[in-house]
PDB file of all heavy atoms in Angstrom:
ATOM      1  N   ALA A  95      82.523 111.929 121.650  1.00  0.00           N
ATOM      2  CA  ALA A  95      81.781 111.016 122.436  1.00  0.00           C
ATOM      3  C   ALA A  95      81.671 109.706 121.727  1.00  0.00           C
ATOM      4  O   ALA A  95      81.850 109.588 120.488  1.00  0.00           O
ATOM      5  CB  ALA A  95      80.355 111.541 122.770  1.00  0.00           C
ATOM      6  N   THR A  96      81.457 108.611 122.494  1.00  0.00           N
ATOM      7  CA  THR A  96      81.272 107.299 121.841  1.00  0.00           C
ATOM      8  C   THR A  96      79.846 106.771 122.229  1.00  0.00           C
ATOM      9  O   THR A  96      79.499 106.506 123.461  1.00  0.00           O
ATOM     10  CB  THR A  96      82.292 106.306 122.422  1.00  0.00           C
ATOM     11  OG1 THR A  96      83.612 106.945 122.264  1.00  0.00           O
ATOM     12  CG2 THR A  96      82.287 105.038 121.599  1.00  0.00           C
ATOM     13  N   VAL A  97      79.055 106.576 121.220  1.00  0.00           N
ATOM     14  CA  VAL A  97      77.706 106.078 121.389  1.00  0.00           C
ATOM     15  C   VAL A  97      77.653 104.781 120.599  1.00  0.00           C
ATOM     16  O   VAL A  97      77.902 104.735 119.359  1.00  0.00           O
ATOM     17  CB  VAL A  97      76.664 107.056 120.941  1.00  0.00           C
ATOM     18  CG1 VAL A  97      75.229 106.445 120.979  1.00  0.00           C
ATOM     19  CG2 VAL A  97      76.697 108.311 121.802  1.00  0.00           C
ATOM     20  N   ARG A  98      77.239 103.689 121.149  1.00  0.00           N
ATOM     21  CA  ARG A  98      77.131 102.386 120.504  1.00  0.00           C
ATOM     22  C   ARG A  98      75.780 101.738 120.818  1.00  0.00           C
ATOM     23  O   ARG A  98      75.140 102.158 121.720  1.00  0.00           O
ATOM     24  CB  ARG A  98      78.330 101.458 120.988  1.00  0.00           C
ATOM     25  CG  ARG A  98      79.659 101.950 120.548  1.00  0.00           C
ATOM     26  CD  ARG A  98      79.945 101.760 119.071  1.00  0.00           C
ATOM     27  NE  ARG A  98      81.269 102.125 118.713  1.00  0.00           N
ATOM     28  CZ  ARG A  98      81.612 103.359 118.318  1.00  0.00           C
ATOM     29  NH1 ARG A  98      80.700 104.301 118.264  1.00  0.00           N
ATOM     30  NH2 ARG A  98      82.879 103.630 117.984  1.00  0.00           N
ATOM     31  N   TYR A  99      75.472 100.728 120.062  1.00  0.00           N
ATOM     32  CA  TYR A  99      74.282  99.926 120.329  1.00  0.00           C
ATOM     33  C   TYR A  99      74.484  98.454 120.130  1.00  0.00           C
ATOM     34  O   TYR A  99      75.335  98.105 119.282  1.00  0.00           O
ATOM     35  CB  TYR A  99      73.090 100.505 119.513  1.00  0.00           C
ATOM     36  CG  TYR A  99      73.232 100.346 118.028  1.00  0.00           C
ATOM     37  CD1 TYR A  99      72.610  99.260 117.349  1.00  0.00           C
ATOM     38  CD2 TYR A  99      73.900 101.233 117.292  1.00  0.00           C
ATOM     39  CE1 TYR A  99      72.703  99.092 115.985  1.00  0.00           C
ATOM     40  CE2 TYR A  99      74.014 101.125 115.897  1.00  0.00           C
ATOM     41  CZ  TYR A  99      73.402 100.050 115.293  1.00  0.00           C
ATOM     42  OH  TYR A  99      73.532  99.901 113.917  1.00  0.00           O
ATOM     43  N   LEU A 100      73.726  97.710 120.856  1.00  0.00           N
ATOM     44  CA  LEU A 100      73.741  96.226 120.690  1.00  0.00           C
ATOM     45  C   LEU A 100      72.360  95.763 120.556  1.00  0.00           C
ATOM     46  O   LEU A 100      71.413  96.222 121.283  1.00  0.00           O
ATOM     47  CB  LEU A 100      74.324  95.606 121.970  1.00  0.00           C
ATOM     48  CG  LEU A 100      75.777  95.943 122.324  1.00  0.00           C
ATOM     49  CD1 LEU A 100      76.107  95.413 123.705  1.00  0.00           C
ATOM     50  CD2 LEU A 100      76.735  95.347 121.288  1.00  0.00           C
ATOM     51  N   ALA A 101      72.084  94.846 119.596  1.00  0.00           N
ATOM     52  CA  ALA A 101      70.727  94.448 119.385  1.00  0.00           C
ATOM     53  C   ALA A 101      70.705  93.177 118.546  1.00  0.00           C
ATOM     54  O   ALA A 101      71.639  92.852 117.892  1.00  0.00           O
ATOM     55  CB  ALA A 101      69.975  95.509 118.606  1.00  0.00           C
ATOM     56  N   LEU A 102      69.611  92.455 118.672  1.00  0.00           N
ATOM     57  CA  LEU A 102      69.231  91.406 117.722  1.00  0.00           C
ATOM     58  C   LEU A 102      67.845  91.593 117.322  1.00  0.00           C
ATOM     59  O   LEU A 102      67.086  92.244 118.052  1.00  0.00           O
ATOM     60  CB  LEU A 102      69.458  89.982 118.374  1.00  0.00           C
ATOM     61  CG  LEU A 102      70.881  89.523 118.558  1.00  0.00           C
ATOM     62  CD1 LEU A 102      70.850  88.128 119.280  1.00  0.00           C
ATOM     63  CD2 LEU A 102      71.629  89.397 117.255  1.00  0.00           C
ATOM     64  N   LYS A 103      67.423  91.038 116.184  1.00  0.00           N
ATOM     65  CA  LYS A 103      66.024  91.147 115.805  1.00  0.00           C
ATOM     66  C   LYS A 103      65.223  90.366 116.846  1.00  0.00           C
ATOM     67  O   LYS A 103      65.663  89.359 117.442  1.00  0.00           O
ATOM     68  CB  LYS A 103      65.799  90.548 114.433  1.00  0.00           C
ATOM     69  CG  LYS A 103      66.145  91.580 113.345  1.00  0.00           C
ATOM     70  CD  LYS A 103      65.763  90.966 111.986  1.00  0.00           C
ATOM     71  CE  LYS A 103      66.177  91.893 110.880  1.00  0.00           C
ATOM     72  NZ  LYS A 103      65.946  91.270 109.546  1.00  0.00           N
ATOM     73  N   TRP A 104      63.903  90.778 117.001  1.00  0.00           N
ATOM     74  CA  TRP A 104      62.950  90.103 117.860  1.00  0.00           C
ATOM     75  C   TRP A 104      63.245  90.553 119.291  1.00  0.00           C
ATOM     76  O   TRP A 104      64.374  90.944 119.603  1.00  0.00           O
ATOM     77  CB  TRP A 104      62.856  88.630 117.714  1.00  0.00           C
ATOM     78  CG  TRP A 104      62.480  88.195 116.324  1.00  0.00           C
ATOM     79  CD1 TRP A 104      61.264  88.432 115.722  1.00  0.00           C
ATOM     80  CD2 TRP A 104      63.333  87.594 115.330  1.00  0.00           C
ATOM     81  NE1 TRP A 104      61.319  87.968 114.476  1.00  0.00           N
ATOM     82  CE2 TRP A 104      62.543  87.441 114.194  1.00  0.00           C
ATOM     83  CE3 TRP A 104      64.632  87.171 115.368  1.00  0.00           C
ATOM     84  CZ2 TRP A 104      63.042  86.885 113.014  1.00  0.00           C
ATOM     85  CZ3 TRP A 104      65.113  86.580 114.209  1.00  0.00           C
ATOM     86  CH2 TRP A 104      64.314  86.431 113.042  1.00  0.00           C
ATOM     87  N   GLN A 105      62.184  90.575 120.126  1.00  0.00           N
ATOM     88  CA  GLN A 105      62.294  91.067 121.420  1.00  0.00           C
ATOM     89  C   GLN A 105      62.588  89.961 122.458  1.00  0.00           C
ATOM     90  O   GLN A 105      62.207  88.794 122.204  1.00  0.00           O
ATOM     91  CB  GLN A 105      60.983  91.828 121.807  1.00  0.00           C
ATOM     92  CG  GLN A 105      60.752  92.912 120.897  1.00  0.00           C
ATOM     93  CD  GLN A 105      59.581  93.819 121.448  1.00  0.00           C
ATOM     94  OE1 GLN A 105      59.530  94.176 122.548  1.00  0.00           O
ATOM     95  NE2 GLN A 105      58.683  94.203 120.483  1.00  0.00           N
ATOM     96  N   GLY A 106      63.204  90.332 123.549  1.00  0.00           N
ATOM     97  CA  GLY A 106      63.410  89.357 124.672  1.00  0.00           C
ATOM     98  C   GLY A 106      64.360  89.886 125.658  1.00  0.00           C
ATOM     99  O   GLY A 106      65.507  90.305 125.231  1.00  0.00           O
ATOM    100  N   LEU A 107      64.053  89.936 126.857  1.00  0.00           N
ATOM    101  CA  LEU A 107      64.984  90.495 127.849  1.00  0.00           C
ATOM    102  C   LEU A 107      66.125  89.470 128.145  1.00  0.00           C
ATOM    103  O   LEU A 107      67.140  89.893 128.680  1.00  0.00           O
ATOM    104  CB  LEU A 107      64.216  90.899 129.144  1.00  0.00           C
ATOM    105  CG  LEU A 107      63.323  92.118 128.941  1.00  0.00           C
ATOM    106  CD1 LEU A 107      62.565  92.430 130.211  1.00  0.00           C
ATOM    107  CD2 LEU A 107      64.166  93.317 128.488  1.00  0.00           C
ATOM    108  N   ASP A 108      65.947  88.196 127.809  1.00  0.00           N
ATOM    109  CA  ASP A 108      67.015  87.267 128.005  1.00  0.00           C
ATOM    110  C   ASP A 108      68.125  87.629 127.025  1.00  0.00           C
ATOM    111  O   ASP A 108      69.323  87.633 127.367  1.00  0.00           O
ATOM    112  CB  ASP A 108      66.551  85.774 127.743  1.00  0.00           C
ATOM    113  CG  ASP A 108      65.621  85.671 126.531  1.00  0.00           C
ATOM    114  OD1 ASP A 108      65.388  86.655 125.863  1.00  0.00           O
ATOM    115  OD2 ASP A 108      65.247  84.479 126.221  1.00  0.00           O
ATOM    116  N   MET A 109      67.716  87.970 125.817  1.00  0.00           N
ATOM    117  CA  MET A 109      68.651  88.434 124.786  1.00  0.00           C
ATOM    118  C   MET A 109      69.407  89.720 125.188  1.00  0.00           C
ATOM    119  O   MET A 109      70.614  89.851 125.036  1.00  0.00           O
ATOM    120  CB  MET A 109      67.972  88.590 123.462  1.00  0.00           C
ATOM    121  CG  MET A 109      68.752  89.132 122.310  1.00  0.00           C
ATOM    122  SD  MET A 109      68.619  90.954 122.166  1.00  0.00           S
ATOM    123  CE  MET A 109      66.979  91.220 121.596  1.00  0.00           C
ATOM    124  N   GLN A 110      68.643  90.643 125.771  1.00  0.00           N
ATOM    125  CA  GLN A 110      69.216  91.918 126.117  1.00  0.00           C
ATOM    126  C   GLN A 110      70.148  91.731 127.356  1.00  0.00           C
ATOM    127  O   GLN A 110      71.189  92.418 127.443  1.00  0.00           O
ATOM    128  CB  GLN A 110      68.149  92.910 126.355  1.00  0.00           C
ATOM    129  CG  GLN A 110      67.414  93.304 125.072  1.00  0.00           C
ATOM    130  CD  GLN A 110      66.225  94.258 125.249  1.00  0.00           C
ATOM    131  OE1 GLN A 110      65.331  94.209 124.435  1.00  0.00           O
ATOM    132  NE2 GLN A 110      66.190  95.128 126.246  1.00  0.00           N
ATOM    133  N   TYR A 111      69.850  90.819 128.222  1.00  0.00           N
ATOM    134  CA  TYR A 111      70.753  90.504 129.295  1.00  0.00           C
ATOM    135  C   TYR A 111      72.079  89.978 128.785  1.00  0.00           C
ATOM    136  O   TYR A 111      73.146  90.362 129.265  1.00  0.00           O
ATOM    137  CB  TYR A 111      70.122  89.496 130.250  1.00  0.00           C
ATOM    138  CG  TYR A 111      71.077  89.089 131.349  1.00  0.00           C
ATOM    139  CD1 TYR A 111      71.166  89.712 132.562  1.00  0.00           C
ATOM    140  CD2 TYR A 111      71.922  87.951 131.173  1.00  0.00           C
ATOM    141  CE1 TYR A 111      72.067  89.334 133.529  1.00  0.00           C
ATOM    142  CE2 TYR A 111      72.857  87.580 132.106  1.00  0.00           C
ATOM    143  CZ  TYR A 111      72.920  88.213 133.337  1.00  0.00           C
ATOM    144  OH  TYR A 111      73.801  87.875 134.226  1.00  0.00           O
ATOM    145  N   MET A 112      71.976  89.038 127.806  1.00  0.00           N
ATOM    146  CA  MET A 112      73.155  88.409 127.230  1.00  0.00           C
ATOM    147  C   MET A 112      74.069  89.502 126.624  1.00  0.00           C
ATOM    148  O   MET A 112      75.256  89.466 126.839  1.00  0.00           O
ATOM    149  CB  MET A 112      72.693  87.388 126.196  1.00  0.00           C
ATOM    150  CG  MET A 112      73.722  86.656 125.429  1.00  0.00           C
ATOM    151  SD  MET A 112      74.306  87.401 123.863  1.00  0.00           S
ATOM    152  CE  MET A 112      72.789  87.443 122.871  1.00  0.00           C
ATOM    153  N   LEU A 113      73.473  90.364 125.816  1.00  0.00           N
ATOM    154  CA  LEU A 113      74.275  91.439 125.171  1.00  0.00           C
ATOM    155  C   LEU A 113      74.917  92.256 126.219  1.00  0.00           C
ATOM    156  O   LEU A 113      76.107  92.626 126.071  1.00  0.00           O
ATOM    157  CB  LEU A 113      73.392  92.299 124.272  1.00  0.00           C
ATOM    158  CG  LEU A 113      72.855  91.566 123.028  1.00  0.00           C
ATOM    159  CD1 LEU A 113      71.767  92.445 122.335  1.00  0.00           C
ATOM    160  CD2 LEU A 113      73.975  91.295 121.996  1.00  0.00           C
ATOM    161  N   MET A 114      74.166  92.727 127.248  1.00  0.00           N
ATOM    162  CA  MET A 114      74.656  93.540 128.289  1.00  0.00           C
ATOM    163  C   MET A 114      75.799  92.890 129.081  1.00  0.00           C
ATOM    164  O   MET A 114      76.888  93.420 129.334  1.00  0.00           O
ATOM    165  CB  MET A 114      73.548  93.944 129.227  1.00  0.00           C
ATOM    166  CG  MET A 114      73.908  94.882 130.349  1.00  0.00           C
ATOM    167  SD  MET A 114      72.407  95.246 131.332  1.00  0.00           S
ATOM    168  CE  MET A 114      73.058  96.094 132.754  1.00  0.00           C
ATOM    169  N   ASN A 115      75.545  91.563 129.378  1.00  0.00           N
ATOM    170  CA  ASN A 115      76.576  90.837 130.208  1.00  0.00           C
ATOM    171  C   ASN A 115      77.872  90.668 129.440  1.00  0.00           C
ATOM    172  O   ASN A 115      78.957  90.870 129.917  1.00  0.00           O
ATOM    173  CB  ASN A 115      75.973  89.474 130.491  1.00  0.00           C
ATOM    174  CG  ASN A 115      76.796  88.705 131.507  1.00  0.00           C
ATOM    175  OD1 ASN A 115      77.073  89.290 132.612  1.00  0.00           O
ATOM    176  ND2 ASN A 115      77.206  87.521 131.227  1.00  0.00           N
ATOM    177  N   ASP A 116      77.782  90.305 128.098  1.00  0.00           N
ATOM    178  CA  ASP A 116      78.946  90.158 127.293  1.00  0.00           C
ATOM    179  C   ASP A 116      79.652  91.493 127.163  1.00  0.00           C
ATOM    180  O   ASP A 116      80.920  91.477 127.191  1.00  0.00           O
ATOM    181  CB  ASP A 116      78.583  89.575 125.890  1.00  0.00           C
ATOM    182  CG  ASP A 116      78.343  88.113 125.932  1.00  0.00           C
ATOM    183  OD1 ASP A 116      78.777  87.434 126.888  1.00  0.00           O
ATOM    184  OD2 ASP A 116      77.699  87.551 125.008  1.00  0.00           O
ATOM    185  N   PHE A 117      78.933  92.504 126.920  1.00  0.00           N
ATOM    186  CA  PHE A 117      79.656  93.813 126.788  1.00  0.00           C
ATOM    187  C   PHE A 117      80.358  94.202 128.073  1.00  0.00           C
ATOM    188  O   PHE A 117      81.533  94.618 128.029  1.00  0.00           O
ATOM    189  CB  PHE A 117      78.580  94.914 126.431  1.00  0.00           C
ATOM    190  CG  PHE A 117      79.240  96.270 126.206  1.00  0.00           C
ATOM    191  CD1 PHE A 117      79.635  96.620 124.894  1.00  0.00           C
ATOM    192  CD2 PHE A 117      79.387  97.107 127.220  1.00  0.00           C
ATOM    193  CE1 PHE A 117      80.245  97.845 124.688  1.00  0.00           C
ATOM    194  CE2 PHE A 117      80.030  98.415 127.009  1.00  0.00           C
ATOM    195  CZ  PHE A 117      80.437  98.743 125.734  1.00  0.00           C
ATOM    196  N   LEU A 118      79.666  94.139 129.219  1.00  0.00           N
ATOM    197  CA  LEU A 118      80.290  94.609 130.476  1.00  0.00           C
ATOM    198  C   LEU A 118      81.426  93.667 130.909  1.00  0.00           C
ATOM    199  O   LEU A 118      82.201  94.084 131.744  1.00  0.00           O
ATOM    200  CB  LEU A 118      79.247  94.746 131.531  1.00  0.00           C
ATOM    201  CG  LEU A 118      78.191  95.879 131.263  1.00  0.00           C
ATOM    202  CD1 LEU A 118      77.125  95.871 132.364  1.00  0.00           C
ATOM    203  CD2 LEU A 118      78.840  97.269 131.213  1.00  0.00           C
ATOM    204  N   ALA A 119      81.529  92.480 130.317  1.00  0.00           N
ATOM    205  CA  ALA A 119      82.624  91.638 130.674  1.00  0.00           C
ATOM    206  C   ALA A 119      83.933  92.163 129.918  1.00  0.00           C
ATOM    207  O   ALA A 119      85.013  91.655 130.285  1.00  0.00           O
ATOM    208  CB  ALA A 119      82.299  90.179 130.225  1.00  0.00           C
ATOM    209  N   HIS A 120      83.683  92.927 128.924  1.00  0.00           N
ATOM    210  CA  HIS A 120      84.865  93.357 128.078  1.00  0.00           C
ATOM    211  C   HIS A 120      85.128  94.882 128.150  1.00  0.00           C
ATOM    212  O   HIS A 120      86.259  95.314 127.961  1.00  0.00           O
ATOM    213  CB  HIS A 120      84.671  92.920 126.648  1.00  0.00           C
ATOM    214  CG  HIS A 120      84.728  91.418 126.462  1.00  0.00           C
ATOM    215  ND1 HIS A 120      83.639  90.642 126.627  1.00  0.00           N
ATOM    216  CD2 HIS A 120      85.776  90.612 126.172  1.00  0.00           C
ATOM    217  CE1 HIS A 120      83.981  89.401 126.453  1.00  0.00           C
ATOM    218  NE2 HIS A 120      85.244  89.312 126.165  1.00  0.00           N
ATOM    219  N   ARG A 121      83.996  95.654 128.335  1.00  0.00           N
ATOM    220  CA  ARG A 121      84.154  97.121 128.175  1.00  0.00           C
ATOM    221  C   ARG A 121      83.334  97.777 129.237  1.00  0.00           C
ATOM    222  O   ARG A 121      82.498  97.140 129.909  1.00  0.00           O
ATOM    223  CB  ARG A 121      83.721  97.563 126.751  1.00  0.00           C
ATOM    224  CG  ARG A 121      84.448  96.939 125.667  1.00  0.00           C
ATOM    225  CD  ARG A 121      83.961  97.443 124.318  1.00  0.00           C
ATOM    226  NE  ARG A 121      84.321  98.757 124.019  1.00  0.00           N
ATOM    227  CZ  ARG A 121      83.967  99.414 122.933  1.00  0.00           C
ATOM    228  NH1 ARG A 121      83.190  98.837 122.044  1.00  0.00           N
ATOM    229  NH2 ARG A 121      84.339 100.719 122.713  1.00  0.00           N
ATOM    230  N   GLN A 122      83.559  99.095 129.318  1.00  0.00           N
ATOM    231  CA  GLN A 122      82.777  99.861 130.302  1.00  0.00           C
ATOM    232  C   GLN A 122      81.736 100.700 129.576  1.00  0.00           C
ATOM    233  O   GLN A 122      81.996 101.142 128.428  1.00  0.00           O
ATOM    234  CB  GLN A 122      83.595 100.795 131.123  1.00  0.00           C
ATOM    235  CG  GLN A 122      84.486 100.084 132.162  1.00  0.00           C
ATOM    236  CD  GLN A 122      85.343 101.053 132.920  1.00  0.00           C
ATOM    237  OE1 GLN A 122      85.857 101.988 132.308  1.00  0.00           O
ATOM    238  NE2 GLN A 122      85.525 100.846 134.197  1.00  0.00           N
ATOM    239  N   ALA A 123      80.599 101.000 130.205  1.00  0.00           N
ATOM    240  CA  ALA A 123      79.616 101.925 129.715  1.00  0.00           C
ATOM    241  C   ALA A 123      79.272 102.969 130.741  1.00  0.00           C
ATOM    242  O   ALA A 123      79.169 102.565 131.998  1.00  0.00           O
ATOM    243  CB  ALA A 123      78.340 101.187 129.205  1.00  0.00           C
ATOM    244  N   ARG A 124      79.206 104.222 130.366  1.00  0.00           N
ATOM    245  CA  ARG A 124      78.876 105.253 131.356  1.00  0.00           C
ATOM    246  C   ARG A 124      77.350 105.397 131.587  1.00  0.00           C
ATOM    247  O   ARG A 124      76.924 105.897 132.542  1.00  0.00           O
ATOM    248  CB  ARG A 124      79.497 106.570 130.941  1.00  0.00           C
ATOM    249  CG  ARG A 124      80.974 106.567 130.857  1.00  0.00           C
ATOM    250  CD  ARG A 124      81.602 107.905 130.851  1.00  0.00           C
ATOM    251  NE  ARG A 124      83.017 107.780 130.952  1.00  0.00           N
ATOM    252  CZ  ARG A 124      83.924 107.755 129.964  1.00  0.00           C
ATOM    253  NH1 ARG A 124      83.454 107.881 128.773  1.00  0.00           N
ATOM    254  NH2 ARG A 124      85.174 107.621 130.129  1.00  0.00           N
ATOM    255  N   LEU A 125      76.619 104.905 130.564  1.00  0.00           N
ATOM    256  CA  LEU A 125      75.148 104.907 130.693  1.00  0.00           C
ATOM    257  C   LEU A 125      74.629 103.838 129.792  1.00  0.00           C
ATOM    258  O   LEU A 125      75.068 103.711 128.560  1.00  0.00           O
ATOM    259  CB  LEU A 125      74.531 106.309 130.307  1.00  0.00           C
ATOM    260  CG  LEU A 125      72.998 106.325 130.120  1.00  0.00           C
ATOM    261  CD1 LEU A 125      72.338 106.127 131.552  1.00  0.00           C
ATOM    262  CD2 LEU A 125      72.585 107.683 129.535  1.00  0.00           C
TER     263      LEU A 125
END
Side-chain angles (χ1 to χ4, degrees):
Chain A
T96 310
V97 174
R98 294 287 182 270
Y99 64 97
L100 299 171
L102 286 177
K103 278 185 184 174
W104 300 292
Q105 302 190 41
L107 290 179
D108 46 359
M109 173 270 288
Q110 291 176 208
Y111 174 90
M112 178 269 299
L113 292 169
M114 182 178 170
N115 191 54
D116 280 341
F117 183 89
L118 293 178
H120 293 85
R121 303 179 71 182
Q122 287 179 321
R124 297 197 172 96
L125 171 66

